[in-house]
Structure formats: C-alpha cells, structure tokens
Amino acid sequence: MAEKTDHPGAVTAERQARWNAAFMANYGTPPLAIERGSGVHVWDVDGTEYLDLYAGIAVSALGHAHPTVIEAVSRQIGQVGHTSNLMINERSLELGERLSAMIGGDARVFLCNSGTEAVEAAIKVTRRHHGDRSQLIAAEGAFHGRTLGALSITGQPAKRAPFAPLLPDVTFVPYGDAEALRAAVTDQTAAVFLEPVLGEAGVIPAPDGYLETAREVCDATGALLVLDEVQGGVGRAGAWFSHQVTAPTIQADVITMAKGLGGGLPIGACIARGAAGNALQPGDHGSTFGGNPVACAAALATLDVIESADLLGAARTRGAQLAAALDHPAIDFVRGIGLWRGVVLREPIAVEVEARARLHGALVNAVSPTVIRLAPALIVTGDEIDAGVAALHKALEEVSG
Ligand code: PLP
C-alpha cells in the first residue's frame, strides 16, 4: 500500500491539474482522485487505500462494487439500456410498484435522476394539488437541492442569495420549533417541506413531537406535508425512511428519495399519496432519463439486498456501535440515528480533522466547521467501524492536542 502524506501523490496531482482546467470552479479542487472501490474501501489513483465512512455523501448504501448491483446493472444494460417514458420498461414498472407499496396502497410515483429533481417534482405536485395556493413553508438550515425550485426552499441564505430572485411566497421557520410552525401554516399554505433529520445542516434529528405537529397543522389547514427523505431514506436511519424512526405514527402526503436508492447509480423518486398522487396531469412534468431501466435495476437490487441481508437491522446495530465508540475530549456529543451520525466538536476544527483522518486512512466529511458527518455503507462490519473510529480518534488527537 502506498504511504499517505500531507501532499497529493504524483498521479493525484496530475489529475487535479486536469480537473482544474476542465471543470467549473463550483466544487473547488478535490483532495483525492478515486480509481476503484470494494465494499467500504476505496483506492486512489496513487494506490492508497481508504476506509470510506461517508459512502459518496450517503449514496453507496451497499458499498462499492456490490456483486448484486453489478449483476443487475450488467444484465439490464445488455438487455435494454434506455427506453424513455414514451414506452414502459419492466424495471421502472417494478420499481414504481415497489416504492408505491412501501409507502402504502394508493401512493403514486414519479421517477427522476437526483434528489433535487425529486424535490422539484414535489413542488409541482403541491402547486397542482392546490391551484389557488402558492405559499411553501420550509425550515431554516434545511437543504433540498440546487436547482432553482429546490434552492428556493433551502433554508441556507448563503446558497440562495447569489441566485435571487427565486420562487416567491416561501416562508422559513426555525427547525424544531413546533409553535413557530403552527403560527406559520395557514389555509393559504400549499405545503410544508421538512427533512425528518436535517442532513447537510449536521445530522440533526427533529425533536420529539415536531413532525407530529407538522402533520396536525397540515391536516387542519389542508396543506400537504412533504418529507424530504433524499438523505435519510433507503435504510440509512435503520428503517426504510428516517421519519419512521423520528415520528413512527405519522404519514407524509409526499416523500422524496434519491441518494441510497440506486446503490451508486443516479436515481430519484417523488412519491405522493391520496389526492396528491393524482395532482399531476398528462404533460405537466417529465424527465428523459427518469425511470431509466439500468438505474431502476440497480435500485431494485439495492432494495433486495437491504431486505434479504436485514441491513435495516444492521444500520441500527452498527449505528449504535459507532455512536458508542466515539469517545474523545474534542467531541462535545454525537447525534443522529442509524448509520447517520453528526460528531459535534467543541472547536471549529472539522475541516482539519477531515484532512488528518485521510492521512490515517479514513474518509469522513466535515459538513460544517464543528460537525463531522459519518454515513458509511449499510454493509459496514463491526471491525471496520472500530478501525474507522480509531483513525478518527487519532485525527482528533493530532488536531485538538
Ligand atoms: N434533499 C436532501 C435532504 C439532501 O440531503 C440533498 C442532497 O444532499 C438533496 C435534497 C439534493 O439531492 P441531489 O444532490 O441528489 O440533487
């Protein structure tokens, strides 16, 4: 295995120069160039191995190069790789039925390619459902995506400001404040958009009773309740959906999914129940690639493995192990659910800790100056968690010491 140093290896440096020349500056220069992956391990172009503790931003639910996904994708691309929605393809039909059944009986599905597109579809559903209402309520700190509709309900002013004007009639409320939500939602509100656990804001679960209040005020006013499960869905929280952990008694009107759904392939879904599921009319919305059979085959394989290997149970067990093992004076506390944790630090050293952890062979994500996000693949073993925690502790020791 190549030695890890503060400086990029020669091949990585060459890739970074090419990246900077070819791509827009929106991502900055990535510190690593990845060549291959297997399970929860990845190797960079200089041959250095890393333990991947955030799975491509909570995406690779089954880790890298899972044999069931490889088999499903390979078989499908050899059979038919794309059809568009002008025709039915078998895999999208199966996936639509499966997602509908997961939500319950009358749910209807729109398939797309990413989380932000799932949110765009949800916004259109709420607009069509309530022709005469345009107000959307969303939470401060929330993240729903980068396209202009999803950005309009993203409660992070710095991300929105450069692109104003955005959608009008969006009201932000402090996340977790049930009374503020109660006061904001009226009979002019089309929908309330909430993440059951704020992901990009640092893995912050909704306080007890908050989502239940959201359900209650939506029922009282006729507003739709949209739960954004793009990051928390597909098992990461130890259940198919994170709201089944944080608020098990409620049902959303609309659910958005993406990230883990495709086991590494790009796919998103907007799923709506009851009248909301019938809101979109022919011609109202579409996506050339939405429901692509290869992406759907990957999603079906991912759901199969999660079910057959009881990865929901594994996410609960391993997640508890991870949270319990994180114990260092630089850590204030650890929050989150399942294999989705925010490690809250006492000082704003998260970016440095991320870089030091890399030198100890672990990939973690500084989601803010004081929070490290951990979201490993659901197949992570107990030993791999121990190794990852040891690397993170070493990094904390060096940066905080
Ligand atoms: N919604 C939530 C809750 C997310 O966490 C994200 C991405 O981090 C998105 C939407 C946007 O998803 P994508 O990056 O696939 O467009």
Side-chain angles (χ1 to χ4, degrees):
M1 194 197 301
E3 194 191 337
K4 299 178 182 74
T5 69
D6 274 345
H7 306 292
V11 188
T12 300
E14 189 266 349
R15 300 294 193 268
Q16 288 172 326
R18 283 169 54 195
W19 169 281
N20 289 338
F23 289 112
M24 294 184 189
N26 55 307
Y27 295 117
T29 308
L32 290 183
I34 298 298
E35 190 171 72
R36 67 191 170 91
S38 174
V40 294
H41 299 269
V42 292
W43 286 262
D44 74 10
V45 290
D46 286 293
T48 309
E49 180 180 350
Y50 299 90
L51 186 60
D52 180 1
L53 292 180
Y54 68 94
I57 323 186
V59 164
S60 304
L62 304 185
H64 303 281
H66 194 283
T68 309
V69 175
I70 294 174
E71 203 274 322
V73 164
S74 307
R75 184 161 21 91
Q76 189 58 46
I77 193 79
Q79 192 176 332
V80 58
H82 178 71
T83 61
S84 87
N85 290 293
L86 301 181
M87 326 215 161
I88 293 170
N89 82 70
E90 292 289 295
R91 295 296 88 72
S92 78
L93 188 55
E94 283 172 42
L95 183 62
E97 287 173 345
R98 187 128 170 207
L99 294 177
S100 173
M102 267 165 90
I103 304 297
D106 62 349
R108 299 179 78 179
V109 177
F110 172 79
L111 291 174
C112 51
N113 317 289
S114 66
T116 201
E117 288 171 80
V119 171
E120 293 293 332
I123 293 172
K124 275 191 162 181
V125 163
T126 65
R127 280 284 181 87
R128 267 307 225 169
H129 178 78
H130 278 306
D132 57 341
R133 301 186 191 187
S134 60
Q135 188 197 29
L136 302 178
I137 308 262
E140 289 167 10
F143 184 78
H144 295 292
R146 302 285 194 159
T147 51
L148 292 180
L151 187 61
S152 302
I153 56 169
T154 285
Q156 301 182 23
K159 292 194 171 72
R160 281 201 317 274
F163 303 101
L166 295 169
L167 278 184
D169 219 359
V170 177
T171 304
F172 290 100
V173 292
Y175 188 77
D177 182 338
E179 288 321 304
L181 187 62
R182 234 182 246 289
V185 181
T186 70
D187 60 9
Q188 290 308 302
T189 306
V192 175
F193 281 74
L194 289 172
E195 290 169 82
V197 175
L198 288 179
E200 295 305 297
V203 196
I204 306 173
D208 286 350
Y210 184 60
L211 297 175
E212 288 84 348
T213 301
R215 181 68 272 172
E216 187 192 317
V217 293
C218 285
D219 286 342
T221 56
L224 294 177
L225 177 62
V226 184
L227 293 183
D228 186 342
E229 291 276 7
V230 164
Q231 193 163 145
V234 202
R236 178 141 302 286
W240 284 115
F241 297 103
S242 61
H243 72 273
Q244 293 170 332
V245 178
T246 53
T249 60
I250 68 157
Q251 280 195 312
D253 298 302
V254 183
I255 289 177
T256 53
M257 303 174 75
K259 287 196 183 274
L261 181 58
L265 268 77
I267 188 164
C270 172
I271 309 162
R273 295 172 47 241
N278 295 318
L280 290 184
Q281 298 304 307
D284 275 352
H285 199 43
S287 162
T288 298
F289 285 112
N292 170 272
V294 180
C296 290
L300 289 163
T302 303
L303 298 178
D304 281 346
V305 173
I306 292 175
E307 218 164 67
S308 62
D310 186 24
L311 295 184
L312 301 182
R316 291 192 293 273
T317 312
R318 297 284 163 243
Q321 178 194 344
L322 177 62
L326 287 160
D327 181 18
H328 187 278
I331 298 175
D332 190 0
F333 60 96
V334 179
R335 65 189 170 208
I337 47 180
L339 278 171
W340 193 23
R341 300 284 167 169
V343 184
V344 183
L345 306 175
R346 293 185 195 279
E347 306 284 338
I349 54 172
V351 173
E352 244 182 299
V353 170
E354 177 191 302
R356 293 306 300 184
R358 245 190 331 267
L359 295 180
H360 294 295
L363 303 184
V364 302
N365 170 230
V367 74
S368 82
T370 52
V371 182
I372 295 281
R373 174 174 46 183
L374 302 174
L378 311 185
I379 52 149
V380 69
T381 65
D383 287 349
E384 287 163 341
I385 284 183
D386 286 344
V389 168
L392 187 52
H393 281 170
K394 273 191 217 157
L396 287 166
E397 197 60 38
E398 287 165 6
V399 177
S400 68

